[in-house]
Amino acid sequence: MSVVPEIKSPLEEKIVVKPILWTMYHIHAYQGPCRYGQGYALTTEADMEVAQKEYNRFLERIHEAVDPKKVEVLDGSLLHWNEDFVIHDNVWEEALAEDEKVDIYLVCGLRISGYFTVELASRTAKAIAFVPHEASHSPCDDVDMSAHLLAMGRKDVYPCRYMDDFVKAVDVLRVKKILKNLKIFFPLKNAQLTFGCQSSYLTLDGITQQFGTRFSHINAEQVFDEIDALTPEEKAEASHMADELVSSAKGVHMPAEYVKNDMEFYVPIKKLMAHHGCNAFTIPCFEVCATRQLNARKFTFCLAKSILTEDGIPAACAGDVGSVISKAILMAVSNAAPYMGNTLVWNPEENEVRTLHDVPTRYMKGYDKPALPVELVSFAMDGWGTTLRYDFAQDVGETITAINLSPDMKKIMIVKGEITGCDNYLVPECKLAVRYKVADTKHFHDCQKYVGHHFALVYGDYGDQIAEAAEALGLEVMRA
């Protein structure tokens, strides 16, 4: 049994959905502009039979469409009124019984459902979505309700023509929920805004106001006290993890005994994060490096950040809080463990860009994909400071998505690239780089001036999904 505490990954967040089917049970049999059919179809019993059938199908459609890893579906409700157009209190009591738990109400209606949905929205601050039932010959209640609510200034309103649209809405809400529940463990040294990344953020309070993200701090040098206080059992586990990493690596180009030092940083960081109730991490590299403790103890932060990201914990270099948030967004949308690094125009004649840092992961193509082959290379020329290395050159032609946020958290830059090569695959120090082609490097640099140099990236094309989430977060989207 592990002595290292488990930390709930932000990726375990689920959107809680309350399904409601709204209908009318007519008391009287009649025809006219508000009533179709004839004979038995005009009876209350017929209304009830149709409603039950559509309700069952509505629930089936939801479970067919959503990912149970991302969504919790509460028990549905089949609610109705009569042709007197009165919604009684017991309807609202059932509809809103679990309002505290609900993230989004999904309404499907058979007749005149826009009114019910608008009234529901007036009784809850939670997100509202509407999807027409499959047999509707005039499926427009979704936009009927959305036009009213958006005109009132309501946010998180989702008219869904099809169930696929609801899945997209859930993905957007999940990004927002992940950021709201993100708590970053951020040890400090010398200054709150790290000297090495001025493009990270303006104020932490501003980030909390924008996204809900919170922070916990200690003096960065206290981390060394935690390393010194590791128990024999914790040291043994760190050693075991180091041995596993060495044995699974494609190649080891450094003294293997140094890998344990890096794992003896990873273990106390997880302990401290658990103690502080955190689920994300960054630490100022340059300022802590200047204490000379890393040189004396023969480790760097690189490996821990790669492994934490593989654990589903957003972890960024150089005290860059903005990159932690960028990683969290990218992880939520792509279900992959991002690489991050200094990003710059490299070859404008070929529209080539380069991202450089020693923190790749084995799951840049997806947590559900096989682990990528990595090799171990020292950061320091003297052979210590474990870093993962991946040869991006074997993926020439594959698509990547890279993102970065502006320091005021008002803009997001979304980049689509095609891998063209890899530099310094097995060279020590912070030199591993992936090169990729973008549409236009001049436009790239024009956008980059607003966001800075640290980009997070994964394999695949997730630009549209990220843009939808960004717009819901109130961010200005720049595509490059």
Side-chain angles (χ1 to χ4, degrees):
M1 183 172 146
S2 175
V3 295
V4 181
E6 288 296 321
I7 297 171
K8 180 183 177 183
S9 166
L11 300 182
E12 295 180 42
E13 292 288 353
K14 293 185 178 184
I15 292 299
V16 180
V17 179
K18 171 64 177 180
I20 298 174
L21 186 125
W22 178 249
T23 189
M24 178 177 286
Y25 294 161
H26 293 85
I27 298 172
H28 305 285
Y30 58 94
Q31 297 180 19
C34 68
R35 190 81 189 277
Y36 307 146
Q38 61 182 164
Y40 182 74
L42 298 175
T43 65
T44 306
E45 290 76 15
D47 284 344
M48 295 174 71
E49 290 171 7
V50 170
Q52 188 62 54
K53 178 182 176 182
E54 291 295 339
Y55 175 67
N56 293 340
R57 177 58 190 147
F58 173 48
L59 298 183
E60 286 179 356
R61 291 169 65 199
I62 295 171
H63 288 286
E64 289 169 359
V66 302
D67 182 348
K69 294 179 181 178
K70 298 180 179 180
V71 178
E72 177 186 352
V73 182
L74 299 179
D75 291 340
S77 292
L78 198 173
L79 304 175
H80 72 277
W81 58 354
N82 307 116
E83 64 263 51
D84 58 3
F85 303 110
V86 175
I87 303 178
H88 296 284
D89 287 345
N90 65 303
V91 169
W92 300 122
E93 288 169 5
E94 180 173 345
L96 299 166
E98 298 180 274
D99 187 64
E100 187 174 333
K101 186 177 182 181
V102 171
D103 291 310
I104 185 169
Y105 289 89
L106 176 60
V107 180
C108 179
L110 301 187
R111 288 285 286 170
I112 319 179
S113 305
Y115 173 76
F116 167 79
T117 311
V118 168
E119 286 296 305
L120 175 68
S122 73
R123 290 165 166 79
T124 179
K126 302 301 177 68
I128 301 289
F130 187 102
V131 62
H133 71 96
E134 290 177 314
S136 175
H137 72 280
S138 181
C140 52
D141 280 346
D142 58 326
V143 292
D144 184 45
M145 72 88 187
S146 67
H148 186 104
L149 294 177
L150 292 171
M152 291 176 60
R154 278 294 297 263
K155 306 294 184 183
D156 290 332
V157 176
Y158 301 95
C160 305
R161 179 63 183 85
Y162 303 102
M163 196 60 77
D164 286 349
D165 298 321
F166 177 67
V167 172
K168 293 177 182 178
V170 164
D171 287 342
V172 166
L173 285 176
R174 185 165 169 268
V175 171
K176 296 178 74 172
K177 188 173 184 178
I178 284 173
L179 295 188
K180 182 179 179 181
N181 292 331
L182 203 66
K183 187 177 181 184
I184 301 173
F185 183 56
F186 183 14
L188 299 174
K189 177 66 178 172
N190 296 112
Q192 192 172 75
L193 179 60
T194 178
F195 298 129
C197 192
Q198 293 292 293
S199 54
S200 177
Y201 61 91
L202 296 184
T203 69
L204 298 182
D205 284 345
I207 293 172
T208 302
Q209 292 171 16
Q210 176 84 1
F211 303 123
T213 302
R214 296 169 295 139
F215 303 88
S216 188
H217 307 285
I218 62 170
N219 184 319
E221 291 179 274
Q222 289 178 249
V223 173
F224 301 119
D225 296 333
E226 294 295 324
I227 295 174
D228 293 336
L230 287 174
T231 66
E233 293 78 13
E234 290 166 339
K235 288 184 177 181
E237 182 151 354
S239 181
H240 176 68
M241 289 188 290
D243 291 343
E244 284 190 331
L245 183 63
V246 169
S247 64
S248 66
K250 179 182 175 183
V252 179
H253 307 274
M254 59 178 288
E257 61 267 24
Y258 282 134
V259 180
K260 178 173 68 71
N261 298 349
D262 298 273
M263 287 300 189
E264 287 186 358
F265 170 71
Y266 166 81
V267 170
I269 287 299
K270 289 199 78 172
K271 288 177 61 183
L272 286 164
M273 290 178 67
H275 178 73
H276 286 260
C278 293
N279 56 8
F281 173 66
T282 191
I283 191 168
C285 302
F286 302 113
E287 293 84 341
V288 180
C289 178
T291 68
R292 302 185 299 282
Q293 285 280 354
L294 302 183
N295 184 79
R297 295 168 181 267
K298 301 294 185 283
F299 78 89
T300 59
F301 304 141
C302 310
L303 180 63
K305 291 167 184 171
S306 290
I307 301 299
L308 285 168
T309 304
E310 292 184 349
D311 292 341
I313 306 298
C317 304
D320 187 358
V321 169
S323 284
V324 175
I325 296 170
S326 290
K327 271 195 166 188
I329 293 171
L330 204 51
M331 291 162 75
V333 172
S334 69
N335 192 40
Y339 176 50
M340 70 158 287
N342 299 346
T343 302
L344 59 149
V345 172
W346 187 246
N347 183 351
E349 287 77 18
E350 298 295 331
N351 286 316
E352 193 175 51
V353 170
R354 191 175 189 247
T355 294
L356 174 152
H357 259 194
D358 287 353
V359 287
T361 76
R362 290 168 290 186
Y363 301 99
M364 295 179 288
K365 295 187 179 184
Y367 287 107
D368 57 349
K369 301 292 192 298
L372 297 172
V374 295
E375 305 196 41
L376 307 184
V377 176
S378 69
F379 187 101
M381 294 296 290
D382 283 351
W384 52 267
T386 312
T387 69
L388 301 185
R389 298 301 180 96
Y390 178 70
D391 185 6
F392 293 98
Q394 62 192 303
D395 296 326
V396 168
E398 292 199 33
T399 299
I400 60 94
T401 300
I403 67 170
N404 193 6
L405 289 159
S406 62
D408 60 1
M409 304 293 147
K410 302 294 185 186
K411 296 180 175 66
I412 187 170
M413 183 172 168
I414 305 172
V415 179
K416 180 179 180 179
E418 180 184 308
I419 293 177
T420 55
C422 180
D423 296 329
N424 305 316
Y425 169 41
L426 299 178
V427 178
E429 299 182 333
C430 193
K431 292 182 178 177
L432 174 67
V434 58
R435 288 179 278 113
Y436 46 96
K437 185 176 182 178
V438 298
D440 177 37
T441 49
K442 183 181 185 305
H443 176 65
F444 180 97
H445 194 256
D446 286 343
C447 294
Q448 191 181 11
K449 68 186 177 186
Y450 294 105
V451 299
H453 62 295
H454 275 172
F455 280 70
L457 68 83
V458 295
Y459 283 73
D461 183 3
Y462 298 98
D464 291 345
Q465 297 97 309
I466 293 168
E468 289 184 16
E471 289 168 1
L473 288 164
L475 301 175
E476 177 188 339
V477 174
M478 300 181 295
R479 306 286 290 262

